[in-house]
Amino acid sequence: MSESNTNDPAPRHTRVLIIGSGLSGVGTAVRLTQEGHTDFLVVERGDDVGGTWRVNTYPGAGCDVPSQLYSYSFALNPEWSRSFSRQPEIHRYIQGIADRYGLRDKHIFDCAMTGARWNDADARWEVETTRGKFTSDIVVSAAGVLAEPNLPDIKGIHSFEGEIFHSAQWDHDADLAGKRVAVIGTGASAVQIVPSIAPQVAQLDVYQRTAGWVFPHLTRRYLAPERFAFKHVPGLQRLIRGLIYANRELFVISQAKYPATAVYLELIARVKLWLEVRDPALRKRLTPNFRAGCKRLLVSNRFYPALTRDNVELVTDGIEEIRGRSIVSEDGTEREVDAIVLCTGFHVADSPTYSMFTGRNGLTLSEEFDTHGLQAYKGTTVAGFPNLFTMLGANSGLNYTSLIYIIESQIAYVLDALATMDKQGLRTFEVRKDVQDEYNRGVQQKMARSVWLTGGCTSWFLDRHGNNPTLWPDFSFRFRGQLRRFDVTNYATTPVAAQGNPTTSVA
């Protein structure tokens, strides 16, 4: 397609502008296409679709959600090769969806948003990008929650003379074979990276701040007859998908409803640890001191065995500083190292994207969240920011099943909002602050008994105030239920012909 010319005097206008082309962005674009909407564009800072599955190409990268759940409901994939898919296969799936629905012509790649401001007089968003300016009636922010790597603030980190990179920015030109390597962090990425690189490096130091609960990974290759049946037996794959979904929902009981029941999960993890790590001292350091589910649950069949290798050392003392060619731990031990891999997570509650959106009152999302905490209405709209949808916004994340289920729930809300605007002749919508506040009070009441607040840990789920603005504290089908229809009466709106301040809609 013809690309935006930064020398054009007038910005390019579209009714709907989607920011980002991961699972949220591609899914939204597909459903818009299916519903007959053609006046939309997708701006993507990378060179292809895929989002986190395009970017995270580290060794061993894969999904800890069953493959049968990790696809759009409108595009099931009978060709999954494994029960838990790996990164290349998931990326190919997203690429295939984009190609199937002709979405590449709706994309502008290598186009990073640098700012977006609501123009109240014109009732539209003005969006600045590295490829020119755009205006849009509606913006769907699908920038992703695992999009901005979190780089640790460690003394001397910028003085390191060897190779250093984040797991989400893997340097494929770096040859780690035969080198002394340090992995900082033992979260979801690290449990995949450590066993993948341990056999090839000379020495691997794994720096652990807190031990995590690690469970068996029930992964296997699908047999040819299974794939044949998925493809040719009507309803079979959807039935299996439904059964897996129902099974995963049971995790809500131990995570959000009755955290004490997590003791049964912990028993499974403790048995696994005992079987795979025979050294009592090492086993003790790998035993968590918080309730299972308080941090993200980890799955791996290879992580513990990798830690027992002769060339692998688990370091549980904190890092004091990084020097030119070494890491000094808090006990004074200095370990020589040639390369450092940072498995230190992402900016979630403090995403840099929030500072790019400026709303009706001249404040950015970041400024609003600094004042009131990270909040949204149904995880999807924010008071003070008209005509803006935030995919996977506040309290819409899940810790036990597929986020695609949440994404599709939000997409349905977006589509019904567009239909409502067309039917009622609306120009703008903005969730009322009192409605948003009441909604969030209800969410936090549910959150109060969850394992994330009572489980005895700190995690990336929490913000600097100790609140959990990340996860949905209930069954996922209840989240979907509240987004089935766009509840316009909870929004202040303006009609197409009107100017000035919005008024509350009347059904």
Side-chain angles (χ1 to χ4, degrees), residues 467-479:
N467 299 319
N468 185 338
T470 308
L471 300 177
W472 169 245
D474 207 335
F475 296 103
S476 64
F477 59 78
R478 287 184 174 160
F479 184 88

Side-chain angles (χ1 to χ4, degrees), residues 17 39 54 67 115 117 121 142 199 241 272 277 287 313 349 396 407 419 425 461 464 486 503:
L17 185 67
D39 189 7
R54 174 184 61 84
S67 297
R117 178 177 291 273
R241 176 186 172 100
K272 173 183 170 62
V277 179
T287 301
E313 179 182 0
S396 66
I407 290 169
F461 300 146
R464 59 188 178 87
F486 182 69
T503 58

Side-chain angles (χ1 to χ4, degrees), residues 140-440:
V140 178
S141 177
V145 293
L146 302 180
E148 298 294 337
N150 179 35
L151 303 180
D153 184 17
I154 301 175
K155 179 183 177 182
I157 191 170
H158 298 295
S159 66
F160 184 66
E161 297 172 359
E163 296 150 323
I164 181 169
F165 46 87
H166 192 276
S167 60
Q169 299 167 331
W170 193 270
D171 184 357
H172 290 278
D173 293 328
D175 184 5
L176 302 182
K179 292 183 178 180
R180 299 165 299 185
V181 180
V183 171
I184 299 177
T186 52
S189 298
V191 300
Q192 296 177 341
I193 291 171
V194 167
S196 298
I197 66 174
Q200 60 179 285
V201 304
Q203 174 64 31
L204 181 59
D205 299 324
V206 180
Y207 287 82
Q208 171 187 279
R209 185 169 57 180
T210 54
W213 290 104
V214 183
F215 294 86
H217 197 196
L218 305 178
T219 183
R220 64 178 182 83
R221 293 194 66 86
Y222 282 130
L223 302 175
E226 290 178 289
R227 295 198 303 273
F228 179 87
F230 291 153
K231 194 169 187 178
H232 297 288
V233 178
L236 176 63
Q237 189 174 22
R238 202 166 291 277
L239 172 62
I240 292 176
R241 176 186 172 100
L243 293 174
I244 295 174
Y245 168 79
N247 178 264
R248 303 291 286 200
E249 287 294 291
L250 295 176
F251 282 93
V252 177
I253 296 172
S254 64
Q255 295 197 9
K257 303 295 185 182
Y258 304 102
T261 61
V263 66
Y264 299 107
L265 290 175
E266 293 166 13
L267 178 61
I268 296 172
R270 288 179 187 276
V271 170
K272 173 183 170 62
L273 176 59
W274 185 84
L275 290 173
E276 296 181 356
V277 179
R278 306 305 296 168
D279 179 358
L282 178 58
R283 192 163 63 235
K284 183 177 180 180
R285 289 188 291 156
L286 289 169
T287 301
N289 59 0
F290 53 86
R291 185 65 77 201
C294 188
K295 290 178 179 286
R296 182 173 176 177
L297 300 176
L298 306 175
V299 291
S300 176
N301 298 331
R302 303 191 301 149
F303 181 60
Y304 285 155
L307 294 179
T308 65
R309 292 176 57 94
D310 292 338
N311 68 327
V312 177
E313 179 182 0
L314 180 71
V315 183
T316 54
D317 293 301
I319 297 175
E320 180 66 27
E321 68 171 312
I322 295 177
R323 296 176 180 171
R325 284 285 179 177
S326 65
I327 297 178
V328 181
S329 54
E330 290 177 349
D331 67 348
T333 303
E334 183 174 5
R335 295 174 176 83
E336 299 295 323
V337 62
D338 302 309
I340 299 176
V341 179
L342 303 171
C343 295
T344 48
F346 298 85
H347 291 281
V348 178
D350 60 342
S351 172
T353 304
Y354 297 148
S355 65
M356 298 183 188
F357 286 97
T358 302
R360 184 169 51 81
N361 298 320
L363 298 177
T364 65
L365 279 172
S366 292
E367 291 168 334
E368 286 282 352
F369 295 156
D370 284 343
T371 302
H372 304 290
L374 182 58
Q375 293 185 359
Y377 179 60
K378 300 184 178 180
T380 312
T381 56
V382 181
F385 293 80
N387 292 23
L388 173 67
F389 295 104
T390 58
M391 305 300 287
L392 298 178
N395 290 116
S396 66
L398 298 174
N399 189 32
Y400 59 89
T401 192
S402 176
L403 275 177
I404 297 178
Y405 187 86
I406 295 294
I407 290 169
E408 289 198 47
S409 303
Q410 293 181 298
I411 293 173
Y413 197 68
V414 171
L415 291 175
D416 199 53
L418 293 177
T420 300
M421 293 180 76
D422 291 341
K423 181 179 179 180
Q424 298 188 13
L426 301 181
R427 191 181 192 191
T428 70
F429 62 87
E430 178 188 340
V431 65
R432 298 186 346 242
K433 183 65 165 60
D434 63 309
V435 170
Q436 179 175 295
D437 289 344
E438 180 62 25
Y439 173 82
N440 280 279

Side-chain angles (χ1 to χ4, degrees), residues 9-47:
R12 182 172 180 176
H13 182 74
T14 184
R15 186 188 187 194
V16 180
L17 185 67
I18 302 170
I19 311 298
S21 190
L23 284 164
S24 295
V26 169
T28 303
V30 169
R31 293 293 290 121
L32 285 172
T33 300
Q34 290 179 326
E35 293 297 314
H37 297 281
T38 59
D39 189 7
F40 71 90
L41 288 173
V42 185
V43 294
E44 163 58 46
R45 66 181 178 180
D47 61 1

